[in-house]
């Protein structure tokens, strides 16, 4: 079976360290392993519009921000097809047909959509939720199946979307009695903390919509300020430190390697040693923040510098997206053709249809 990788990001803001550990890191790894037939990364502007219909400027302005972040983390246009969702009409058409395979209660039961609705300022009775927003998992199923993608490197908030996609695939193939669509599976991060990296507020997952992000493009000062603003549990320095729910340690667990310890905290060899000492007491959160700041600066600096280089090549980036979108259209149109054939709505190419209709009236 062909190996087809697909992921997408909503252009609702720049990408952050949650995206990096939850998905981008896996994407770069898959790219460098090179074991795939197609690799598509899509900027999901149409999905972003489902809850930003009145804010087109935000979506439009973030298309290239997201593209810059892709290149900043080392995704390579020679190895990956980059494309823009709204410029691939077959995706909307597929969404239309898939909507008939999903019931209303099923749409509203999606746990990620539910929690996203709860986070927004919609009316208490959900009366303000746009239909398009409630149905975005169906459009996501169209994105995935249009390319027959079977490998999806995403964070764990996307698992309900992939489950919905698999249900649509099974339902379609069963209803139209033909194996046209392909089932997909998630490639989750290796470290479970990265499935859903917590935001700097410690309350929820880091998310562009929640203003609790450290961005891959943040400058040195901003990173420092954000690290210092992370809430820590008030305690006397000599009291035992609490690790459970401690955002500083969550981030250190994800980002600090032995090299960082050698450079910035040589009293300890690694995170295990530091964790044990912290639990005993005697280490203040100020020192931990200082270390975390060094670690984050070292992590983000190369991304920011690479990004600056690409910021001077915007016409080239637009051309990459344009060419990638053309290729994506070819792939998606082929699937749409097969879908319409399986459904029997390919009237003009269907000689049986023509014969049937003539016979019916003769
Ligand atoms: P929005 O608030 O607009 O929904 P977002 O920050 O949730 O933005 P998306 O564009 O919805 O970002 O997600 C893109 C990809 O990044 C998805 O695969 C998602 O699983 C992953 N991702 C986003 N936030 C995190 C996080 N905090 N931890 C791990 N993965 C994440
Ligand atoms: Mg999201």
């Amino acid at each position: 079976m062909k190996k087809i990788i697909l992921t997408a990001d909503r252009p609702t803001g720049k990408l952050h360290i949650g995206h990096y550990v939850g998905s981008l890191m896996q994407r770069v790894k898959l790219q460098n392993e090179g074991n795939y037939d197609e690799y598509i990364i899509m900027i999901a502007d149409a999905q972003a519009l489902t809850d930003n219909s009145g804010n087109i400027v935000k979506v439009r302005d973030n298309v290239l921000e997201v593209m810059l972040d892709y290149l900043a983390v080392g995704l390579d246009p020679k190895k990956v097809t980059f494309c823009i969702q709204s410029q691939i009409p077959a995706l909307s058409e597929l969404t239309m047909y898939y909507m008939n395979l999903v019931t209303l209660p099923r749409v509203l039961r999606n746990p990620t959509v539910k929690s996203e609705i709860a986070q927004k300022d919609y009316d208490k009775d959900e009366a303000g939720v746009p239909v398009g927003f409630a149905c975005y998992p169906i459009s996501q199923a169209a994105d995935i199946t249009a390319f027959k993608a079977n490998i999806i490197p995403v964070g764990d908030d996307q698992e309900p979307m992939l489950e919905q996609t698999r249900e649509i695939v099974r339902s379609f193939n069963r209803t139209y009695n033909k194996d046209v669509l392909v089932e997909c599976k998630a490639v989750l991060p290796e470290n479970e903390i990265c499935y859903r990296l917590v935001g700097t507020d410690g309350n929820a997952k880091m998310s562009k919509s929640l203003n609790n992000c450290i961005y891959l493009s943040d400058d040195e000062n901003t990173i420092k300020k954000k690290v210092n603003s992370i809430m820590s549990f008030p305690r006397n320095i000599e009291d035992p430190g609490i690790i459970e729910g401690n955002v500083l340690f969550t981030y250190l667990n994800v980002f600090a390697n032995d090299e960082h310890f050698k450079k910035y905290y040589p009293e300890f060899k690694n995170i295990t040693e530091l964790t044990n000492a912290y639990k005993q007491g005697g280490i203040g959160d100020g020192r931990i923040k200082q270390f975390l700041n060094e670690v984050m600066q070292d992590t983000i600096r190369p991304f920011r510098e690479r990004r600056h280089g690409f910021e001077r090549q915007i016409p080239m980036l637009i051309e990459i997206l344009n060419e990638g979108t053309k290729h994506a259209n070819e792939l998606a149109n082929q699937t749409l053709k097969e879908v319409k054939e399986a459904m029997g709505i390919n009237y003009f190419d269907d000689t049986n249809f023509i014969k049937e209709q003539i016979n019916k009236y003769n």
Side-chain angles (χ1 to χ4, degrees):
M1 195 205 261
K2 280 196 170 177
K3 286 192 173 170
I4 301 180
I5 308 170
L6 175 112
T7 44
D9 303 273
R10 295 152 41 93
T12 49
K14 296 174 179 181
L15 300 185
H16 50 68
I17 58 171
H19 294 118
Y20 182 65
V21 298
S23 175
L24 294 169
M25 224 159 80
Q26 288 291 343
R27 296 187 212 181
V28 174
K29 190 168 162 239
L30 287 166
Q31 167 191 283
N32 294 341
E33 286 167 359
N35 181 19
Y36 54 83
D37 298 284
E38 289 282 352
Y39 193 157
I40 297 141
I41 296 187
M42 191 164 73
I43 301 183
D45 61 336
Q47 187 185 118
L49 286 172
T50 62
D51 56 342
N52 288 286
S53 56
N55 207 348
I56 193 83
V57 174
K58 172 173 152 191
V59 173
R60 199 177 137 92
D61 274 358
N62 278 303
V63 168
L64 278 170
E65 297 285 11
V66 169
M67 184 65 189
L68 283 163
D69 285 327
Y70 289 156
L71 300 179
V73 298
L75 288 166
D76 178 355
K78 289 196 194 73
K79 299 177 181 159
V80 172
T81 299
F82 293 99
C83 58
I84 303 183
Q85 188 185 27
S86 64
Q87 306 307 302
I88 308 169
L91 301 178
S92 309
E93 235 181 299
L94 289 171
T95 304
M96 185 85 182
Y97 300 129
Y98 295 171
M99 281 194 177
N100 305 330
L101 302 172
V102 184
T103 65
L104 202 51
R106 175 65 185 92
V107 166
L108 298 173
R109 205 166 62 228
N110 184 309
T112 299
V113 174
K114 260 189 178 168
S115 73
E116 285 169 342
I117 288 175
Q119 277 163 12
K120 290 175 201 292
D121 293 333
Y122 296 131
D123 296 345
K124 274 200 194 71
D125 58 1
E126 298 177 356
V129 181
V131 172
F133 184 77
C135 295
Y136 87 72
I138 303 178
S139 108
Q140 220 166 299
D143 302 339
I144 296 169
T145 56
F147 303 105
K148 303 202 172 161
N150 45 7
I151 303 166
I152 320 289
V154 280
D156 144 86
D157 61 328
Q158 296 302 305
E159 192 46 63
M161 313 311 173
L162 301 194
E163 189 49 40
Q164 174 72 87
T165 302
R166 289 187 287 264
E167 284 175 30
I168 289 175
V169 167
R170 286 177 213 134
S171 172
F172 184 93
N173 291 348
R174 197 177 50 239
T175 306
Y176 302 109
N177 210 8
K178 203 163 180 206
D179 279 345
V180 176
L181 304 181
V182 176
E183 288 198 29
C184 60
K185 75 170 200 299
V187 178
L188 292 169
E190 278 153 27
N191 181 348
E192 218 169 294
I193 306 176
C194 305
Y195 281 18
R196 211 175 279 223
L197 191 74
V198 65
T200 50
D201 54 2
N203 286 328
K205 79 156 198 163
M206 185 173 285
S207 167
K208 287 174 243 136
S209 316
L210 298 175
N211 204 12
N212 60 2
C213 305
I214 297 177
Y215 290 98
L216 298 173
S217 47
D218 275 345
D219 63 32
E220 208 173 317
N221 253 332
T222 310
I223 296 171
K224 192 170 177 190
K225 264 193 222 143
K226 287 183 180 174
V227 168
N228 282 331
S229 76
I230 294 172
M231 287 275 283
S232 50
F233 307 119
R235 69 182 165 96
N236 293 322
I237 221 170
E238 62 278 5
D239 290 345
I242 299 162
I243 298 290
E244 182 78 22
N246 185 323
V247 178
L248 299 171
F249 271 84
T250 303
Y251 291 173
L252 283 179
N253 261 298
V254 175
F255 294 101
N257 57 36
D258 298 357
E259 266 320 290
H260 292 131
F261 276 93
K262 229 186 252 166
K263 259 165 90 182
Y264 305 117
Y265 215 158
E267 295 93 307
F268 302 102
K269 267 209 192 65
N270 52 39
I271 188 69
T272 316
E273 278 191 19
L274 175 63
T275 305
N276 288 336
Y278 182 82
K279 277 189 198 159
Q280 312 227 305
I283 301 177
D285 287 332
R287 180 68 187 91
I288 300 294
K289 283 183 179 177
Q290 192 190 338
F291 179 49
L292 178 61
N293 175 52
E294 300 289 8
V295 170
M296 293 321 302
Q297 299 290 357
D298 273 15
T299 306
I300 292 173
R301 190 177 307 110
F303 301 151
R304 193 176 51 229
E305 286 173 358
R306 214 170 320 161
R307 193 186 213 271
H308 284 325
F310 286 113
E311 281 170 359
R312 286 186 284 276
Q313 304 178 61
I314 296 300
M316 182 187 83
L317 267 55
I318 294 175
E319 196 41 36
I320 291 169
L321 280 165
N322 191 1
E323 286 304 314
T325 303
K326 281 184 198 160
H327 179 56
N329 266 306
E330 283 166 18
L331 299 172
N333 284 335
Q334 174 57 33
T335 304
L336 180 64
K337 187 167 173 271
E338 292 168 28
V339 159
K340 285 174 135 178
E341 258 166 38
M343 292 173 73
I345 54 168
N346 56 331
Y347 308 108
F348 305 131
D349 300 324
D350 183 354
T351 45
N352 279 337
F353 169 74
I354 301 168
K355 272 188 218 147
E356 272 165 27
Q357 297 307 307
I358 295 171
N359 289 340
K360 187 175 157 193
Y361 296 102
N362 273 335

